[in-house]
Amino acid sequence: MPTLDERLKAALSAGPKSSAALAREALGLSGPEAIVAKVADAALAKLAWAERDGGFWRLRAAVPAPADGPVLLVVTDADRAAAAEWDGTRLGEIETSISPGARAVAFDALPGALPLRSLCRALDPGRAFTTASRAAEEWRLPHGAGDDAAGALHTLAAVWEHARELASERDFRGFDALRELAERPRPRLDLAPYRFDAEFLATLPEIPGTYRFLDAGGAVFYVGKARNLRNRVNSYFIVPRQPDEKWLTITKRLREIEFAIAGSELEALLEEHRLIRELRGGLINVQAGAHPRPPRRLPDRSIFILPAVDDNRAAVWLHCRGAGLRRLDLRLAPRGVKGAADAARGFFNAARQTDAAELAIGEAWLGDNLNRLARIDPDRPDLDAALAAVLRGDAFGEGERR
């Protein structure tokens, strides 16, 4: 697989190109032109073989490309993009640019970059390396709160640096060696003992949901949730480098899989909690509540708009910090839904939560995802009009429903 440097050099070998063109062609990025151009500029600025000529980049004559290039870390949030070069020893200077159109929090794995989760799992099997923040918590590293681009970037750099140290202890040094370690293929389980096949696993939906594992007698013995059902369920059938007791128990006892889709990861988390509570006697699950999280900043009162399973509906989540969380499942309609704003006001006037564990799970997830959620202030004077806009479908652009 070509490295980041190789892709950029190949793109420029055809002639000078603008920053935005390089971001699209060599880095595979899409989005607002100002953002993607900034990312390309950050990648090219310190490369000895590239130089800027006016508004274009071109190859510098007679200067070879470095054999081992830096890692480019990119994090975006609701109104900023931050990029830094990391050479394996320290965090570089953070560059920030404004982009009001950017609406999601993401770490873009650029072509040629190291796959973070795979590297962490290769170095320390058995731990839950689902995100950079979770990896920092597992390794007890100092890291940013993750509520903004700069905090997330510092977290990411701390995880990379610790991973580099662990790899160096095992004589894996340099960018190419780390990438080779992270991308080593692992064998898959033989599916012969199970009552499903590879086609079933390959056609699972790539959306949030819950899954249930059943034994030979048809009894549910394990339940879980997923942001992406296909990826999560398939992960059980890739043999770990150091199989733990939980994985061995699940794969030996499992015979059938059932699943249910959800409109959002929050919905899947709460459904997983309810299933664990209802089926606890026969389950091997040990988690009964929210994973520990660093404190996150949440407004006192919020209305969050998330997708529902039915594309013709919206999940309107009413949240009062420390007091209550309630979901309204409302149909999208040309004129909105009569009484939706009144129902919201009634909740906030007397918010009470009957299940403290569900509130803790919900607040942990909302805090982790605050910057990428559509939120309405329930105290705004035009609440009726704002909710009506949501229920007309105005809050969701093309391709943004899930």
Side-chain angles (χ1 to χ4, degrees):
M1 181 178 178
T3 65
L4 177 61
D5 285 10
E6 289 168 347
R7 286 179 177 269
L8 288 167
K9 192 170 186 180
L12 286 176
S13 64
K17 284 185 170 61
S18 68
S19 302
L22 286 167
R24 289 190 297 269
E25 295 174 22
L27 306 184
L29 298 179
S30 60
E33 187 166 301
I35 287 284
V36 298
K38 189 73 173 180
V39 173
D41 288 342
L44 289 157
K46 296 182 180 179
L47 296 178
W49 48 264
E51 64 181 4
R52 190 160 195 155
D53 182 13
F56 294 84
W57 286 92
R58 67 182 183 184
L59 292 177
R60 191 191 305 271
V63 178
D68 212 31
V71 176
L72 182 67
L73 307 178
V74 178
V75 181
T76 64
D77 69 9
D79 60 359
R80 291 180 298 279
E85 287 188 351
W86 176 76
D87 63 5
T89 58
R90 62 183 180 81
L91 178 65
E93 180 181 356
I94 296 174
E95 300 179 12
T96 302
S97 63
I98 303 299
S99 174
R103 296 177 59 180
V105 176
F107 165 60
D108 293 315
L110 302 179
L114 292 166
L116 175 62
R117 285 187 296 180
S118 298
L119 179 62
C120 292
R121 288 168 177 165
L123 292 167
D124 195 355
R127 292 184 183 266
F129 296 121
T130 52
T131 64
S133 293
R134 188 70 189 277
E137 293 166 16
E138 291 278 352
W139 280 338
R140 301 181 183 276
L141 303 175
H143 59 286
D147 289 331
D148 56 27
L153 185 60
H154 280 281
T155 298
L156 200 59
V159 171
W160 277 121
E161 292 181 11
H162 186 69
R164 178 192 61 80
E165 292 171 1
L166 292 179
S168 180
E169 293 171 1
R170 304 178 194 182
D171 293 327
F172 289 95
R173 296 181 177 87
F175 183 84
D176 290 335
L178 288 174
R179 188 173 61 195
E180 187 274 330
L181 174 62
E183 294 178 347
R184 282 182 179 176
R186 286 179 286 167
R188 295 186 65 88
L189 275 181
D190 179 7
L191 299 181
Y194 306 117
R195 297 170 186 168
F196 50 86
D197 55 17
E199 183 180 359
F200 169 81
L201 295 176
T203 54
L204 287 168
E206 295 185 274
I207 57 177
T210 55
Y211 54 91
R212 299 173 294 281
F213 289 166
L214 287 70
D215 60 21
V220 177
F221 69 91
Y222 187 84
V223 299
K225 67 86 187 171
R227 179 181 300 177
N228 182 311
L229 278 168
R230 183 185 301 176
N231 290 349
R232 184 67 187 101
V233 173
N234 272 271
S235 70
Y236 288 94
F237 303 96
I238 299 174
V239 180
R241 291 180 174 87
Q242 294 182 3
D244 59 16
E245 183 178 350
K246 175 184 171 182
W247 182 84
L248 291 170
T249 299
I250 288 176
T251 53
K252 182 178 180 179
R253 189 172 172 184
L254 174 65
R255 289 297 177 270
E256 296 182 72
I257 298 174
E258 297 177 344
F259 67 90
I261 62 174
S264 65
E265 187 184 18
L266 174 58
E267 183 182 333
L269 269 168
L270 294 174
E271 179 60 23
E272 177 198 37
H273 168 71
R274 293 171 189 136
L275 287 170
I276 291 175
R277 183 176 56 193
E278 292 169 9
L279 304 172
R280 173 153 297 280
L283 299 180
I284 65 171
N285 293 70
V286 295
Q287 180 188 342
H291 286 297
R293 296 283 199 279
R296 295 288 193 263
R297 297 190 297 269
L298 276 174
D300 289 338
R301 293 148 51 100
S302 297
I303 300 175
F304 295 104
I305 315 301
L306 277 71
V309 172
D310 183 348
D311 281 342
N312 294 315
R313 307 183 77 87
V316 179
W317 293 82
L318 312 175
H319 174 245
C320 187
R321 185 161 59 91
L325 179 66
R326 179 187 174 192
R327 170 182 163 171
L328 300 178
D329 188 13
L330 303 175
R331 179 171 293 278
L332 302 175
R335 297 183 180 180
V337 175
K338 185 178 181 180
D342 290 338
R345 292 188 185 98
F347 168 83
F348 289 111
N349 289 337
R352 295 292 184 272
Q353 183 70 22
T354 55
D355 190 319
E358 287 192 8
L359 179 60
I361 292 170
E363 290 192 337
W365 187 87
L366 290 170
D368 283 346
N369 295 276
L370 182 61
N371 287 336
R372 61 175 178 173
L373 298 177
R375 175 181 175 270
I376 297 175
D377 183 348
D379 297 317
R380 61 188 291 173
D382 61 341
L383 180 60
D384 294 82
L387 279 175
V390 170
L391 300 173
R392 288 196 303 268
D394 297 354
F396 302 103
E398 185 108 15
E400 292 179 342
R401 287 305 320 274
R402 196 166 294 283

